[in-house]
Amino acid sequence: MRITDQNQARWEALYNSAIEFRNFKPWNHFDDSYIFGVRDPWSDEIGWCVIMGNGGIVYGLAVYTGKAGFLSYENMIYSFEEEDGLGIALSQKCLKVEFDDRGDIEDTDREIYEKLGLRFRGRNQYPVIRRSDPGYYPWPLESEAEVVFLTHCLDQSIHAVQLALAGKITLSNMDDDELLVMVPKSMEAEDTLTWDPVLMPRPETEQTHQYVPDPFLVNRIKHELPKKDAVLFLALDFIATPVQEYAEQRPFFPRLALWVDGESGLIAGNYTYAPQNIWKEFQADFLELINKVGYIPESIGINSPMGMEFMDVYGDQLDVDLVYAPEHPLFAELRSTFQQFF
């Protein structure tokens, strides 16, 4: 999204709020174990805010948007030991403000600073604002609504910390049954909003599948292919190098699926996926693979939580035992063979 004469005031407000947040240094008071929400005055969506910086590495604010964003954060903190850092980072759905050094900023940031007449010096002083979506490269904000909402989140983060320091509220932890949310009290005009701290039930974040396997194809496989006392292995991971199909299009990180025959150790199939329509393409490839090998395996060994998620519906549909086995020697061999990708 480009800065224009029509929207420049909103961008100025965003960066002014980011600078105020940076100077306030809320990470001196609260670490990233605390979470609180800010409700968007216009969409009613809640952004779940996490303050970064207490560890002295990354300084800023992450805003996990809506139920999907909350789920991505929940998965990150509860599966940190199970999944590699790249998989965690590329599965997040959030808006993020970080304060970096001069050498870490990109041309996009320099152009914004110049357009807004901003100057910075020193360590961790340069605001870098991005949105993260699962499978995509971090990208500048794409709409005016995001600019306005993130401004509210920065302002209300300062407000919430001030109230907590004064003993008027308590910031939430992820394990709490109710979570603090800053709720707009008035919507008469954007610049006259007042906000109240309210406790709300934590979001319902059960994982749901976007697609259901084609029942006709599944039934055909069940009737035409025998069940065999055999094992297939699935390695499903992000490829570490982003891909950009067209100039100025947002780059993405493809997922690579490698299927290995457990008896021979040979690769039975390999597929790559862009973020769009990934589940639909994955299920089509899986059913094609089963037809190719000519049997339904007794079990499938899987190396990643992402792979378990994608295969979950087939455990019941085809009566296949899904085994989470990231430490299996076969997966270590695959990582060594394909290390340029992972």
PDB file of all heavy atoms in Angstrom, residues 194-230:
ATOM      1  N   THR A 194     -13.046   6.257  23.306  1.00  0.00           N
ATOM      2  CA  THR A 194     -12.563   5.914  24.651  1.00  0.00           C
ATOM      3  C   THR A 194     -12.599   4.400  24.773  1.00  0.00           C
ATOM      4  O   THR A 194     -13.351   3.721  24.079  1.00  0.00           O
ATOM      5  CB  THR A 194     -13.436   6.557  25.728  1.00  0.00           C
ATOM      6  OG1 THR A 194     -14.806   6.131  25.550  1.00  0.00           O
ATOM      7  CG2 THR A 194     -13.372   8.079  25.644  1.00  0.00           C
ATOM      8  N   TRP A 195     -11.768   3.876  25.675  1.00  0.00           N
ATOM      9  CA  TRP A 195     -11.581   2.430  25.734  1.00  0.00           C
ATOM     10  C   TRP A 195     -11.746   1.920  27.158  1.00  0.00           C
ATOM     11  O   TRP A 195     -11.300   2.565  28.104  1.00  0.00           O
ATOM     12  CB  TRP A 195     -10.182   2.071  25.228  1.00  0.00           C
ATOM     13  CG  TRP A 195      -9.926   2.487  23.811  1.00  0.00           C
ATOM     14  CD1 TRP A 195      -9.665   3.763  23.375  1.00  0.00           C
ATOM     15  CD2 TRP A 195      -9.917   1.651  22.662  1.00  0.00           C
ATOM     16  NE1 TRP A 195      -9.493   3.757  22.020  1.00  0.00           N
ATOM     17  CE2 TRP A 195      -9.630   2.480  21.550  1.00  0.00           C
ATOM     18  CE3 TRP A 195     -10.101   0.287  22.460  1.00  0.00           C
ATOM     19  CZ2 TRP A 195      -9.526   1.985  20.258  1.00  0.00           C
ATOM     20  CZ3 TRP A 195     -10.004  -0.221  21.170  1.00  0.00           C
ATOM     21  CH2 TRP A 195      -9.723   0.615  20.089  1.00  0.00           C
ATOM     22  N   ASP A 196     -12.379   0.765  27.287  1.00  0.00           N
ATOM     23  CA  ASP A 196     -12.563   0.124  28.579  1.00  0.00           C
ATOM     24  C   ASP A 196     -11.873  -1.244  28.592  1.00  0.00           C
ATOM     25  O   ASP A 196     -11.959  -1.990  27.609  1.00  0.00           O
ATOM     26  CB  ASP A 196     -14.050  -0.097  28.881  1.00  0.00           C
ATOM     27  CG  ASP A 196     -14.750   1.192  29.303  1.00  0.00           C
ATOM     28  OD1 ASP A 196     -14.040   2.126  29.708  1.00  0.00           O
ATOM     29  OD2 ASP A 196     -15.982   1.234  29.206  1.00  0.00           O
ATOM     30  N   PRO A 197     -11.206  -1.612  29.685  1.00  0.00           N
ATOM     31  CA  PRO A 197     -10.670  -2.965  29.815  1.00  0.00           C
ATOM     32  C   PRO A 197     -11.775  -3.931  30.229  1.00  0.00           C
ATOM     33  O   PRO A 197     -12.493  -3.688  31.204  1.00  0.00           O
ATOM     34  CB  PRO A 197      -9.614  -2.816  30.916  1.00  0.00           C
ATOM     35  CG  PRO A 197     -10.074  -1.645  31.726  1.00  0.00           C
ATOM     36  CD  PRO A 197     -10.834  -0.741  30.810  1.00  0.00           C
ATOM     37  N   VAL A 198     -11.937  -5.005  29.477  1.00  0.00           N
ATOM     38  CA  VAL A 198     -12.999  -5.982  29.723  1.00  0.00           C
ATOM     39  C   VAL A 198     -12.393  -7.382  29.683  1.00  0.00           C
ATOM     40  O   VAL A 198     -11.531  -7.665  28.844  1.00  0.00           O
ATOM     41  CB  VAL A 198     -14.104  -5.857  28.651  1.00  0.00           C
ATOM     42  CG1 VAL A 198     -15.169  -6.929  28.851  1.00  0.00           C
ATOM     43  CG2 VAL A 198     -14.724  -4.465  28.669  1.00  0.00           C
ATOM     44  N   LEU A 199     -12.847  -8.261  30.566  1.00  0.00           N
ATOM     45  CA  LEU A 199     -12.428  -9.657  30.522  1.00  0.00           C
ATOM     46  C   LEU A 199     -13.386 -10.454  29.635  1.00  0.00           C
ATOM     47  O   LEU A 199     -14.603 -10.358  29.772  1.00  0.00           O
ATOM     48  CB  LEU A 199     -12.400 -10.262  31.925  1.00  0.00           C
ATOM     49  CG  LEU A 199     -11.266  -9.787  32.838  1.00  0.00           C
ATOM     50  CD1 LEU A 199     -11.415 -10.388  34.231  1.00  0.00           C
ATOM     51  CD2 LEU A 199      -9.904 -10.152  32.257  1.00  0.00           C
ATOM     52  N   MET A 200     -12.818 -11.223  28.704  1.00  0.00           N
ATOM     53  CA  MET A 200     -13.620 -12.027  27.780  1.00  0.00           C
ATOM     54  C   MET A 200     -13.113 -13.466  27.775  1.00  0.00           C
ATOM     55  O   MET A 200     -11.926 -13.713  28.001  1.00  0.00           O
ATOM     56  CB  MET A 200     -13.523 -11.463  26.359  1.00  0.00           C
ATOM     57  CG  MET A 200     -14.145 -10.102  26.181  1.00  0.00           C
ATOM     58  SD  MET A 200     -14.134  -9.629  24.433  1.00  0.00           S
ATOM     59  CE  MET A 200     -15.010  -8.052  24.541  1.00  0.00           C
ATOM     60  N   PRO A 201     -14.018 -14.430  27.504  1.00  0.00           N
ATOM     61  CA  PRO A 201     -13.570 -15.824  27.389  1.00  0.00           C
ATOM     62  C   PRO A 201     -12.522 -15.952  26.287  1.00  0.00           C
ATOM     63  O   PRO A 201     -12.614 -15.269  25.257  1.00  0.00           O
ATOM     64  CB  PRO A 201     -14.855 -16.585  27.037  1.00  0.00           C
ATOM     65  CG  PRO A 201     -15.967 -15.695  27.486  1.00  0.00           C
ATOM     66  CD  PRO A 201     -15.472 -14.292  27.301  1.00  0.00           C
ATOM     67  N   ARG A 202     -11.539 -16.804  26.497  1.00  0.00           N
ATOM     68  CA  ARG A 202     -10.518 -17.021  25.472  1.00  0.00           C
ATOM     69  C   ARG A 202     -11.183 -17.544  24.198  1.00  0.00           C
ATOM     70  O   ARG A 202     -12.201 -18.257  24.253  1.00  0.00           O
ATOM     71  CB  ARG A 202      -9.431 -17.980  25.965  1.00  0.00           C
ATOM     72  CG  ARG A 202      -9.930 -19.354  26.309  1.00  0.00           C
ATOM     73  CD  ARG A 202      -8.855 -20.244  26.928  1.00  0.00           C
ATOM     74  NE  ARG A 202      -7.772 -20.504  26.000  1.00  0.00           N
ATOM     75  CZ  ARG A 202      -6.536 -20.010  26.164  1.00  0.00           C
ATOM     76  NH1 ARG A 202      -6.240 -19.272  27.207  1.00  0.00           N
ATOM     77  NH2 ARG A 202      -5.595 -20.287  25.289  1.00  0.00           N
ATOM     78  N   PRO A 203     -10.648 -17.224  23.037  1.00  0.00           N
ATOM     79  CA  PRO A 203     -11.271 -17.654  21.782  1.00  0.00           C
ATOM     80  C   PRO A 203     -11.335 -19.174  21.659  1.00  0.00           C
ATOM     81  O   PRO A 203     -10.439 -19.885  22.130  1.00  0.00           O
ATOM     82  CB  PRO A 203     -10.348 -17.065  20.706  1.00  0.00           C
ATOM     83  CG  PRO A 203      -9.607 -15.965  21.376  1.00  0.00           C
ATOM     84  CD  PRO A 203      -9.457 -16.386  22.809  1.00  0.00           C
ATOM     85  N   GLU A 204     -12.398 -19.659  21.042  1.00  0.00           N
ATOM     86  CA  GLU A 204     -12.498 -21.084  20.718  1.00  0.00           C
ATOM     87  C   GLU A 204     -11.632 -21.314  19.487  1.00  0.00           C
ATOM     88  O   GLU A 204     -11.890 -20.754  18.424  1.00  0.00           O
ATOM     89  CB  GLU A 204     -13.949 -21.473  20.425  1.00  0.00           C
ATOM     90  CG  GLU A 204     -14.880 -21.310  21.613  1.00  0.00           C
ATOM     91  CD  GLU A 204     -14.587 -22.313  22.719  1.00  0.00           C
ATOM     92  OE1 GLU A 204     -14.021 -23.388  22.398  1.00  0.00           O
ATOM     93  OE2 GLU A 204     -14.892 -22.029  23.885  1.00  0.00           O
ATOM     94  N   THR A 205     -10.603 -22.141  19.627  1.00  0.00           N
ATOM     95  CA  THR A 205      -9.622 -22.264  18.542  1.00  0.00           C
ATOM     96  C   THR A 205      -9.407 -23.703  18.116  1.00  0.00           C
ATOM     97  O   THR A 205      -8.297 -24.111  17.800  1.00  0.00           O
ATOM     98  CB  THR A 205      -8.270 -21.668  18.971  1.00  0.00           C
ATOM     99  OG1 THR A 205      -7.845 -22.289  20.194  1.00  0.00           O
ATOM    100  CG2 THR A 205      -8.362 -20.178  19.181  1.00  0.00           C
ATOM    101  N   GLU A 206     -10.458 -24.498  18.103  1.00  0.00           N
ATOM    102  CA  GLU A 206     -10.304 -25.860  17.609  1.00  0.00           C
ATOM    103  C   GLU A 206      -9.939 -25.828  16.136  1.00  0.00           C
ATOM    104  O   GLU A 206     -10.515 -25.081  15.343  1.00  0.00           O
ATOM    105  CB  GLU A 206     -11.605 -26.661  17.796  1.00  0.00           C
ATOM    106  CG  GLU A 206     -11.882 -27.037  19.245  1.00  0.00           C
ATOM    107  CD  GLU A 206     -13.060 -27.977  19.350  1.00  0.00           C
ATOM    108  OE1 GLU A 206     -13.475 -28.517  18.311  1.00  0.00           O
ATOM    109  OE2 GLU A 206     -13.554 -28.182  20.463  1.00  0.00           O
ATOM    110  N   GLN A 207      -8.953 -26.674  15.775  1.00  0.00           N
ATOM    111  CA  GLN A 207      -8.522 -26.732  14.383  1.00  0.00           C
ATOM    112  C   GLN A 207      -9.637 -27.320  13.518  1.00  0.00           C
ATOM    113  O   GLN A 207     -10.184 -28.384  13.817  1.00  0.00           O
ATOM    114  CB  GLN A 207      -7.266 -27.602  14.256  1.00  0.00           C
ATOM    115  CG  GLN A 207      -6.668 -27.635  12.862  1.00  0.00           C
ATOM    116  CD  GLN A 207      -5.996 -26.325  12.516  1.00  0.00           C
ATOM    117  OE1 GLN A 207      -5.156 -25.833  13.240  1.00  0.00           O
ATOM    118  NE2 GLN A 207      -6.386 -25.755  11.387  1.00  0.00           N
ATOM    119  N   THR A 208     -10.004 -26.610  12.467  1.00  0.00           N
ATOM    120  CA  THR A 208     -11.003 -27.122  11.540  1.00  0.00           C
ATOM    121  C   THR A 208     -10.405 -27.192  10.139  1.00  0.00           C
ATOM    122  O   THR A 208      -9.559 -26.381   9.767  1.00  0.00           O
ATOM    123  CB  THR A 208     -12.244 -26.199  11.504  1.00  0.00           C
ATOM    124  OG1 THR A 208     -11.839 -24.869  11.146  1.00  0.00           O
ATOM    125  CG2 THR A 208     -12.932 -26.169  12.854  1.00  0.00           C
ATOM    126  N   HIS A 209     -10.829 -28.165   9.378  1.00  0.00           N
ATOM    127  CA  HIS A 209     -10.295 -28.338   8.030  1.00  0.00           C
ATOM    128  C   HIS A 209     -11.133 -27.534   7.039  1.00  0.00           C
ATOM    129  O   HIS A 209     -12.355 -27.517   7.094  1.00  0.00           O
ATOM    130  CB  HIS A 209     -10.310 -29.816   7.639  1.00  0.00           C
ATOM    131  CG  HIS A 209      -9.463 -30.665   8.546  1.00  0.00           C
ATOM    132  ND1 HIS A 209      -8.094 -30.641   8.505  1.00  0.00           N
ATOM    133  CD2 HIS A 209      -9.792 -31.536   9.530  1.00  0.00           C
ATOM    134  CE1 HIS A 209      -7.608 -31.467   9.414  1.00  0.00           C
ATOM    135  NE2 HIS A 209      -8.626 -32.020  10.052  1.00  0.00           N
ATOM    136  N   GLN A 210     -10.433 -26.902   6.098  1.00  0.00           N
ATOM    137  CA  GLN A 210     -11.126 -26.093   5.109  1.00  0.00           C
ATOM    138  C   GLN A 210     -11.800 -26.950   4.050  1.00  0.00           C
ATOM    139  O   GLN A 210     -12.753 -26.533   3.407  1.00  0.00           O
ATOM    140  CB  GLN A 210     -10.139 -25.127   4.446  1.00  0.00           C
ATOM    141  CG  GLN A 210      -9.594 -24.071   5.390  1.00  0.00           C
ATOM    142  CD  GLN A 210      -8.597 -23.162   4.693  1.00  0.00           C
ATOM    143  OE1 GLN A 210      -7.759 -23.607   3.924  1.00  0.00           O
ATOM    144  NE2 GLN A 210      -8.694 -21.883   4.940  1.00  0.00           N
ATOM    145  N   TYR A 211     -11.275 -28.166   3.849  1.00  0.00           N
ATOM    146  CA  TYR A 211     -11.825 -29.033   2.826  1.00  0.00           C
ATOM    147  C   TYR A 211     -12.066 -30.420   3.412  1.00  0.00           C
ATOM    148  O   TYR A 211     -11.388 -30.842   4.350  1.00  0.00           O
ATOM    149  CB  TYR A 211     -10.872 -29.156   1.633  1.00  0.00           C
ATOM    150  CG  TYR A 211     -10.636 -27.847   0.908  1.00  0.00           C
ATOM    151  CD1 TYR A 211      -9.569 -27.039   1.253  1.00  0.00           C
ATOM    152  CD2 TYR A 211     -11.498 -27.430  -0.095  1.00  0.00           C
ATOM    153  CE1 TYR A 211      -9.358 -25.838   0.597  1.00  0.00           C
ATOM    154  CE2 TYR A 211     -11.293 -26.235  -0.753  1.00  0.00           C
ATOM    155  CZ  TYR A 211     -10.219 -25.437  -0.404  1.00  0.00           C
ATOM    156  OH  TYR A 211     -10.020 -24.257  -1.038  1.00  0.00           O
ATOM    157  N   VAL A 212     -12.998 -31.130   2.832  1.00  0.00           N
ATOM    158  CA  VAL A 212     -13.268 -32.512   3.200  1.00  0.00           C
ATOM    159  C   VAL A 212     -12.859 -33.372   2.013  1.00  0.00           C
ATOM    160  O   VAL A 212     -13.167 -33.030   0.870  1.00  0.00           O
ATOM    161  CB  VAL A 212     -14.760 -32.711   3.529  1.00  0.00           C
ATOM    162  CG1 VAL A 212     -15.053 -34.186   3.796  1.00  0.00           C
ATOM    163  CG2 VAL A 212     -15.153 -31.850   4.717  1.00  0.00           C
ATOM    164  N   PRO A 213     -12.146 -34.473   2.233  1.00  0.00           N
ATOM    165  CA  PRO A 213     -11.754 -35.334   1.109  1.00  0.00           C
ATOM    166  C   PRO A 213     -12.954 -35.734   0.271  1.00  0.00           C
ATOM    167  O   PRO A 213     -14.048 -35.970   0.786  1.00  0.00           O
ATOM    168  CB  PRO A 213     -11.121 -36.542   1.802  1.00  0.00           C
ATOM    169  CG  PRO A 213     -10.636 -36.005   3.110  1.00  0.00           C
ATOM    170  CD  PRO A 213     -11.636 -34.956   3.513  1.00  0.00           C
ATOM    171  N   ASP A 214     -12.739 -35.803  -1.022  1.00  0.00           N
ATOM    172  CA  ASP A 214     -13.797 -36.188  -1.950  1.00  0.00           C
ATOM    173  C   ASP A 214     -14.287 -37.595  -1.579  1.00  0.00           C
ATOM    174  O   ASP A 214     -13.545 -38.568  -1.715  1.00  0.00           O
ATOM    175  CB  ASP A 214     -13.235 -36.178  -3.378  1.00  0.00           C
ATOM    176  CG  ASP A 214     -14.316 -36.414  -4.414  1.00  0.00           C
ATOM    177  OD1 ASP A 214     -15.192 -37.272  -4.174  1.00  0.00           O
ATOM    178  OD2 ASP A 214     -14.288 -35.757  -5.461  1.00  0.00           O
ATOM    179  N   PRO A 215     -15.524 -37.723  -1.098  1.00  0.00           N
ATOM    180  CA  PRO A 215     -15.998 -39.037  -0.628  1.00  0.00           C
ATOM    181  C   PRO A 215     -16.024 -40.075  -1.743  1.00  0.00           C
ATOM    182  O   PRO A 215     -15.798 -41.268  -1.491  1.00  0.00           O
ATOM    183  CB  PRO A 215     -17.402 -38.742  -0.089  1.00  0.00           C
ATOM    184  CG  PRO A 215     -17.818 -37.466  -0.746  1.00  0.00           C
ATOM    185  CD  PRO A 215     -16.562 -36.683  -0.955  1.00  0.00           C
ATOM    186  N   PHE A 216     -16.278 -39.647  -2.972  1.00  0.00           N
ATOM    187  CA  PHE A 216     -16.307 -40.599  -4.084  1.00  0.00           C
ATOM    188  C   PHE A 216     -14.924 -41.214  -4.294  1.00  0.00           C
ATOM    189  O   PHE A 216     -14.780 -42.434  -4.429  1.00  0.00           O
ATOM    190  CB  PHE A 216     -16.767 -39.907  -5.361  1.00  0.00           C
ATOM    191  CG  PHE A 216     -16.671 -40.758  -6.598  1.00  0.00           C
ATOM    192  CD1 PHE A 216     -17.614 -41.734  -6.857  1.00  0.00           C
ATOM    193  CD2 PHE A 216     -15.615 -40.599  -7.490  1.00  0.00           C
ATOM    194  CE1 PHE A 216     -17.519 -42.537  -7.983  1.00  0.00           C
ATOM    195  CE2 PHE A 216     -15.518 -41.387  -8.620  1.00  0.00           C
ATOM    196  CZ  PHE A 216     -16.469 -42.361  -8.869  1.00  0.00           C
ATOM    197  N   LEU A 217     -13.886 -40.362  -4.293  1.00  0.00           N
ATOM    198  CA  LEU A 217     -12.530 -40.865  -4.507  1.00  0.00           C
ATOM    199  C   LEU A 217     -12.065 -41.728  -3.342  1.00  0.00           C
ATOM    200  O   LEU A 217     -11.420 -42.762  -3.526  1.00  0.00           O
ATOM    201  CB  LEU A 217     -11.565 -39.691  -4.713  1.00  0.00           C
ATOM    202  CG  LEU A 217     -11.790 -38.859  -5.979  1.00  0.00           C
ATOM    203  CD1 LEU A 217     -10.807 -37.695  -6.029  1.00  0.00           C
ATOM    204  CD2 LEU A 217     -11.650 -39.727  -7.220  1.00  0.00           C
ATOM    205  N   VAL A 218     -12.392 -41.301  -2.122  1.00  0.00           N
ATOM    206  CA  VAL A 218     -11.994 -42.082  -0.946  1.00  0.00           C
ATOM    207  C   VAL A 218     -12.659 -43.452  -0.968  1.00  0.00           C
ATOM    208  O   VAL A 218     -12.001 -44.483  -0.734  1.00  0.00           O
ATOM    209  CB  VAL A 218     -12.342 -41.322   0.349  1.00  0.00           C
ATOM    210  CG1 VAL A 218     -12.137 -42.222   1.557  1.00  0.00           C
ATOM    211  CG2 VAL A 218     -11.493 -40.065   0.480  1.00  0.00           C
ATOM    212  N   ASN A 219     -13.948 -43.495  -1.271  1.00  0.00           N
ATOM    213  CA  ASN A 219     -14.656 -44.785  -1.308  1.00  0.00           C
ATOM    214  C   ASN A 219     -14.128 -45.678  -2.421  1.00  0.00           C
ATOM    215  O   ASN A 219     -14.031 -46.907  -2.255  1.00  0.00           O
ATOM    216  CB  ASN A 219     -16.157 -44.555  -1.491  1.00  0.00           C
ATOM    217  CG  ASN A 219     -16.818 -44.049  -0.224  1.00  0.00           C
ATOM    218  OD1 ASN A 219     -16.374 -44.357   0.880  1.00  0.00           O
ATOM    219  ND2 ASN A 219     -17.863 -43.257  -0.374  1.00  0.00           N
ATOM    220  N   ARG A 220     -13.760 -45.065  -3.548  1.00  0.00           N
ATOM    221  CA  ARG A 220     -13.222 -45.865  -4.644  1.00  0.00           C
ATOM    222  C   ARG A 220     -11.897 -46.514  -4.244  1.00  0.00           C
ATOM    223  O   ARG A 220     -11.648 -47.696  -4.522  1.00  0.00           O
ATOM    224  CB  ARG A 220     -13.018 -44.990  -5.884  1.00  0.00           C
ATOM    225  CG  ARG A 220     -12.717 -45.805  -7.145  1.00  0.00           C
ATOM    226  CD  ARG A 220     -12.530 -44.914  -8.340  1.00  0.00           C
ATOM    227  NE  ARG A 220     -11.250 -44.214  -8.254  1.00  0.00           N
ATOM    228  CZ  ARG A 220     -10.824 -43.347  -9.185  1.00  0.00           C
ATOM    229  NH1 ARG A 220     -11.605 -43.043 -10.216  1.00  0.00           N
ATOM    230  NH2 ARG A 220      -9.646 -42.762  -9.053  1.00  0.00           N
ATOM    231  N   ILE A 221     -11.045 -45.737  -3.551  1.00  0.00           N
ATOM    232  CA  ILE A 221      -9.768 -46.277  -3.097  1.00  0.00           C
ATOM    233  C   ILE A 221      -9.993 -47.410  -2.098  1.00  0.00           C
ATOM    234  O   ILE A 221      -9.350 -48.460  -2.159  1.00  0.00           O
ATOM    235  CB  ILE A 221      -8.912 -45.155  -2.472  1.00  0.00           C
ATOM    236  CG1 ILE A 221      -8.365 -44.257  -3.586  1.00  0.00           C
ATOM    237  CG2 ILE A 221      -7.768 -45.727  -1.651  1.00  0.00           C
ATOM    238  CD1 ILE A 221      -7.617 -43.070  -3.081  1.00  0.00           C
ATOM    239  N   LYS A 222     -10.943 -47.220  -1.179  1.00  0.00           N
ATOM    240  CA  LYS A 222     -11.203 -48.238  -0.157  1.00  0.00           C
ATOM    241  C   LYS A 222     -11.700 -49.541  -0.784  1.00  0.00           C
ATOM    242  O   LYS A 222     -11.417 -50.628  -0.278  1.00  0.00           O
ATOM    243  CB  LYS A 222     -12.219 -47.709   0.854  1.00  0.00           C
ATOM    244  CG  LYS A 222     -11.659 -46.609   1.751  1.00  0.00           C
ATOM    245  CD  LYS A 222     -12.735 -45.927   2.568  1.00  0.00           C
ATOM    246  CE  LYS A 222     -13.323 -46.850   3.602  1.00  0.00           C
ATOM    247  NZ  LYS A 222     -14.287 -46.126   4.479  1.00  0.00           N
ATOM    248  N   HIS A 223     -12.454 -49.426  -1.877  1.00  0.00           N
ATOM    249  CA  HIS A 223     -13.006 -50.631  -2.503  1.00  0.00           C
ATOM    250  C   HIS A 223     -12.047 -51.250  -3.514  1.00  0.00           C
ATOM    251  O   HIS A 223     -12.099 -52.461  -3.746  1.00  0.00           O
ATOM    252  CB  HIS A 223     -14.338 -50.300  -3.198  1.00  0.00           C
ATOM    253  CG  HIS A 223     -15.472 -50.103  -2.246  1.00  0.00           C
ATOM    254  ND1 HIS A 223     -15.805 -48.874  -1.715  1.00  0.00           N
ATOM    255  CD2 HIS A 223     -16.352 -51.000  -1.703  1.00  0.00           C
ATOM    256  CE1 HIS A 223     -16.844 -48.999  -0.900  1.00  0.00           C
ATOM    257  NE2 HIS A 223     -17.189 -50.276  -0.868  1.00  0.00           N
ATOM    258  N   GLU A 224     -11.190 -50.457  -4.122  1.00  0.00           N
ATOM    259  CA  GLU A 224     -10.337 -50.975  -5.195  1.00  0.00           C
ATOM    260  C   GLU A 224      -8.944 -51.376  -4.726  1.00  0.00           C
ATOM    261  O   GLU A 224      -8.302 -52.213  -5.369  1.00  0.00           O
ATOM    262  CB  GLU A 224     -10.204 -49.939  -6.318  1.00  0.00           C
ATOM    263  CG  GLU A 224     -11.512 -49.662  -7.047  1.00  0.00           C
ATOM    264  CD  GLU A 224     -11.340 -48.652  -8.174  1.00  0.00           C
ATOM    265  OE1 GLU A 224     -10.194 -48.186  -8.376  1.00  0.00           O
ATOM    266  OE2 GLU A 224     -12.342 -48.353  -8.851  1.00  0.00           O
ATOM    267  N   LEU A 225      -8.458 -50.786  -3.631  1.00  0.00           N
ATOM    268  CA  LEU A 225      -7.085 -51.057  -3.201  1.00  0.00           C
ATOM    269  C   LEU A 225      -7.078 -51.885  -1.928  1.00  0.00           C
ATOM    270  O   LEU A 225      -7.878 -51.659  -1.018  1.00  0.00           O
ATOM    271  CB  LEU A 225      -6.327 -49.745  -2.973  1.00  0.00           C
ATOM    272  CG  LEU A 225      -6.144 -48.840  -4.190  1.00  0.00           C
ATOM    273  CD1 LEU A 225      -5.341 -47.596  -3.808  1.00  0.00           C
ATOM    274  CD2 LEU A 225      -5.463 -49.587  -5.324  1.00  0.00           C
ATOM    275  N   PRO A 226      -6.149 -52.838  -1.848  1.00  0.00           N
ATOM    276  CA  PRO A 226      -6.065 -53.671  -0.640  1.00  0.00           C
ATOM    277  C   PRO A 226      -5.371 -52.938   0.502  1.00  0.00           C
ATOM    278  O   PRO A 226      -4.582 -52.013   0.284  1.00  0.00           O
ATOM    279  CB  PRO A 226      -5.223 -54.861  -1.101  1.00  0.00           C
ATOM    280  CG  PRO A 226      -4.322 -54.274  -2.158  1.00  0.00           C
ATOM    281  CD  PRO A 226      -5.166 -53.243  -2.873  1.00  0.00           C
ATOM    282  N   LYS A 227      -5.677 -53.326   1.716  1.00  0.00           N
ATOM    283  CA  LYS A 227      -4.938 -52.846   2.888  1.00  0.00           C
ATOM    284  C   LYS A 227      -3.694 -53.709   3.028  1.00  0.00           C
ATOM    285  O   LYS A 227      -3.779 -54.941   2.935  1.00  0.00           O
ATOM    286  CB  LYS A 227      -5.821 -52.957   4.134  1.00  0.00           C
ATOM    287  CG  LYS A 227      -5.282 -52.239   5.356  1.00  0.00           C
ATOM    288  CD  LYS A 227      -5.463 -50.735   5.213  1.00  0.00           C
ATOM    289  CE  LYS A 227      -5.002 -50.011   6.464  1.00  0.00           C
ATOM    290  NZ  LYS A 227      -5.931 -50.227   7.589  1.00  0.00           N
ATOM    291  N   LYS A 228      -2.546 -53.080   3.233  1.00  0.00           N
ATOM    292  CA  LYS A 228      -1.278 -53.812   3.285  1.00  0.00           C
ATOM    293  C   LYS A 228      -0.534 -53.486   4.565  1.00  0.00           C
ATOM    294  O   LYS A 228      -0.517 -52.335   5.004  1.00  0.00           O
ATOM    295  CB  LYS A 228      -0.422 -53.451   2.062  1.00  0.00           C
ATOM    296  CG  LYS A 228       0.886 -54.216   1.969  1.00  0.00           C
ATOM    297  CD  LYS A 228       1.630 -53.818   0.693  1.00  0.00           C
ATOM    298  CE  LYS A 228       2.969 -54.542   0.599  1.00  0.00           C
ATOM    299  NZ  LYS A 228       3.712 -54.155  -0.642  1.00  0.00           N
ATOM    300  N   ASP A 229       0.074 -54.492   5.153  1.00  0.00           N
ATOM    301  CA  ASP A 229       0.875 -54.295   6.353  1.00  0.00           C
ATOM    302  C   ASP A 229       2.198 -53.638   5.948  1.00  0.00           C
ATOM    303  O   ASP A 229       3.243 -54.304   5.874  1.00  0.00           O
ATOM    304  CB  ASP A 229       1.129 -55.628   7.057  1.00  0.00           C
ATOM    305  CG  ASP A 229       1.844 -55.440   8.389  1.00  0.00           C
ATOM    306  OD1 ASP A 229       1.905 -54.286   8.869  1.00  0.00           O
ATOM    307  OD2 ASP A 229       2.348 -56.437   8.934  1.00  0.00           O
ATOM    308  N   ALA A 230       2.117 -52.366   5.666  1.00  0.00           N
ATOM    309  CA  ALA A 230       3.278 -51.630   5.164  1.00  0.00           C
ATOM    310  C   ALA A 230       3.249 -50.216   5.729  1.00  0.00           C
ATOM    311  O   ALA A 230       2.228 -49.757   6.258  1.00  0.00           O
ATOM    312  CB  ALA A 230       3.274 -51.599   3.643  1.00  0.00           C
TER     313      ALA A 230
END
